[in-house]
Amino acid sequence: MKILPEISRTLSEYLLIPGLTTEDCTPDNVDLGAPLVRHRVGEEPGIRVATPLVSAIMQAVSSPTLAVALARAGGLSFIHQNQLIEDQAADVLAVKQHGADVRTGETHHRATVDGAERLRVGAGINSRDFKDRIPALTEAGADVLCLDSSDGYSVHQARTLEFARETYGEDVHVGAGNVVDGRAFRYLADAGAAFVKVGIGGGAICTTRAQKGIGRGQASALLDVVQARDAYAQETGVYVPLCCDGGLLSDSHMAMALAMGSDFIMLGRYFARLDESPSRKLQIGDQWYKEYWGEGSRRAQNAARYGQRGRMVFEEGVDGYVPYAGSLYDNVERTRAKLTSTMISCGSTSLRDFHRDAVLVPVSAESFKQTGAEVQLREPAIASGQ
């Protein structure tokens, strides 16, 4: 038994110290673009995104409709794998075919497209039927794949990555995870992961920590894995991007994750609230909601993702609702504006600069209480004197 000397910290426990905002720090000069797959240091990656947001590998989130909208906004979706292989492949193909006329439709200047100007799309896979699923998804046109697991530090993921590498070489990109420390990052990076997802138990719909007692505060996990990522790049000359997955309850948390070294962010609840997500919209009282459930819930019945073969013996996720938030385009543009503003305040015009120059400070419990507004807003009629 070993006990780490540190406290497990969340993204809420840090603030950014403003840097010098120069004349170059304008919204038009800020580049949020990020690498999505591993590449040699100093070289361009095979896939980049202009908006560092990707949708979670979840039934309640990543449908073809959402995938099209997110790719047009500069991000990328991962079609969920808790379905028949042929159905998932059909979803991937639907996105690729929809994207064939991206240049003749609206001019989405940030759109994530391939060499043939088709929208890019990702897909989730698992470490059980990968020998059948990977070929089908690749043939359907999936641009990048990702192993879907709550705990990715396993020989099963390494074997899946080995199969992809030996069968397709550099032509198929497979991300892996999730991990919470540097040991696990290096294990998956050595196995050939295209990127590594960071985070266990921090998702809004996840109960892994309560059920199994495993996980780590998202900030602590990121800081550890980022250090390992940078050391790996220096030693091998290969940069393996990191995806922050979980523990993100606000746009400011996204900014914090990027400042700490994440290359891009995977979101479930954020996208589940939107028009383009596949779940039902319903009214409860005066408020509209969208249904949202975790892949570890009984509703998802995704037993394979959690190593529970055959049937769900216990749940690692819950089933509920999230407040409806409107269109994907409007929400992503708002998030982009906030991230851009934060980077300008910190004196950065690119994510690489942000990684290098960001200065963070832990906040005390008392300081945390003073983070939000403490004034009670008046009713409009009273405020206007009527």
Side-chain angles (χ1 to χ4, degrees):
M1 185 270 291
K2 177 181 180 182
I3 297 179
L4 297 180
E6 62 154 49
I7 295 174
S8 180
R9 296 191 180 275
T10 68
L11 296 171
S12 297
E13 296 179 73
Y14 290 86
L15 287 173
L16 282 159
I17 302 296
L20 176 64
T21 301
T22 66
E23 293 179 349
D24 292 332
C25 294
T26 65
D28 288 342
N29 285 340
V30 172
D31 179 11
L32 293 176
L36 203 71
V37 297
R38 68 192 288 149
H39 58 92
R40 299 291 304 177
V41 173
E43 297 180 2
E44 282 296 306
I47 302 176
R48 286 182 64 86
V49 288
T51 300
L53 306 179
V54 301
S55 67
I57 310 170
M58 300 175 70
Q59 299 167 53
V61 177
S62 292
S63 66
T65 300
L66 189 133
V68 167
L70 183 52
R72 283 182 163 173
L76 184 130
S77 285
F78 286 88
I79 301 295
H80 78 87
Q81 58 89 21
N82 191 18
Q83 58 181 320
L84 296 175
I85 293 174
E86 52 266 34
D87 292 339
Q88 188 186 19
D91 283 351
V92 167
L93 184 60
V95 179
K96 300 303 292 186
Q97 290 178 335
H98 188 102
D101 64 350
V102 69
R103 291 301 185 195
T104 58
E106 304 175 36
T107 305
H108 294 265
H109 64 285
R110 297 193 192 103
T112 308
V113 296
D114 61 21
E117 303 296 344
R118 300 176 303 173
L119 296 174
R120 288 194 185 276
V121 63
I125 62 172
N126 60 70
S127 58
R128 282 154 293 280
D129 63 11
F130 61 89
K131 292 184 179 179
D132 297 316
R133 197 172 289 267
I134 291 178
L137 295 173
T138 300
E139 185 176 348
D143 296 281
V144 58
L145 306 176
C146 183
L147 278 155
D148 181 25
S149 173
S150 62
D151 176 13
Y153 190 16
S154 77
V155 67
H156 308 295
Q157 288 214 1
R159 287 172 181 163
T160 305
L161 294 168
E162 181 182 7
F163 167 81
R165 188 174 65 250
E166 291 181 351
T167 306
Y168 299 98
E170 302 297 320
D171 294 331
V172 171
H173 309 284
V174 182
N178 286 16
V179 305
V180 291
D181 67 2
R183 300 171 307 157
F185 166 82
R186 181 169 286 267
Y187 181 78
L188 295 177
D190 284 341
F195 61 86
V196 174
K197 285 204 297 160
V198 181
I200 294 177
I205 209 81
C206 181
T207 59
T208 295
R209 293 178 186 172
Q211 294 285 12
K212 296 170 62 175
I214 65 170
R216 195 177 194 179
Q218 193 68 358
S220 295
L222 277 174
L223 293 172
D224 192 345
V225 178
V226 164
Q227 185 176 22
R229 188 268 316 277
D230 292 344
Y232 189 84
Q234 186 171 9
E235 293 171 22
T236 67
V238 176
Y239 186 86
V240 180
L242 296 182
C243 171
C244 177
D245 179 19
L248 300 144
L249 299 178
S250 66
D251 291 334
S252 63
H253 288 166
M254 297 184 210
M256 208 64 61
L258 293 172
M260 289 180 176
S262 297
D263 294 282
F264 57 100
I265 292 164
M266 179 170 278
L267 300 162
R269 180 189 60 85
Y270 178 95
F271 289 115
R273 309 169 302 148
L274 308 181
D275 286 323
E276 294 82 357
S277 77
S279 63
R280 286 192 308 155
K281 177 183 171 185
L282 64 160
Q283 189 173 12
I284 303 176
D286 295 330
Q287 177 70 50
W288 286 94
Y289 294 86
K290 294 273 285 191
E291 292 179 316
Y292 183 43
W293 60 95
E295 288 301 292
S297 67
R298 291 203 182 277
R299 177 168 181 173
Q301 285 296 311
N302 196 352
R305 183 181 194 270
Y306 295 86
Q308 300 182 48
R309 297 176 182 271
R311 64 186 181 89
M312 296 294 293
V313 180
F314 63 91
E315 297 179 89
E316 290 188 46
V318 296
D319 181 355
Y321 306 95
V322 287
Y324 167 68
S327 77
L328 181 143
Y329 177 82
D330 290 343
N331 280 272
V332 168
E333 285 301 300
R334 187 179 302 113
T335 295
R336 282 186 57 93
K338 291 182 183 180
L339 294 176
T340 296
S341 181
T342 299
M343 288 173 61
I344 287 173
S345 291
C346 293
S348 300
T349 57
S350 72
L351 288 184
R352 186 57 57 88
D353 291 344
F354 202 29
H355 292 173
R356 182 191 65 218
D357 299 333
V359 178
L360 298 98
V361 61
V363 298
S364 68
E366 190 61 31
S367 176
F368 183 76
K369 291 179 187 176
Q370 299 178 16
T371 300
E374 295 184 2
V375 215
Q376 171 131 10
L377 298 179
R378 298 178 182 175
E379 292 294 329
I382 298 174
S384 62
Q386 298 176 4

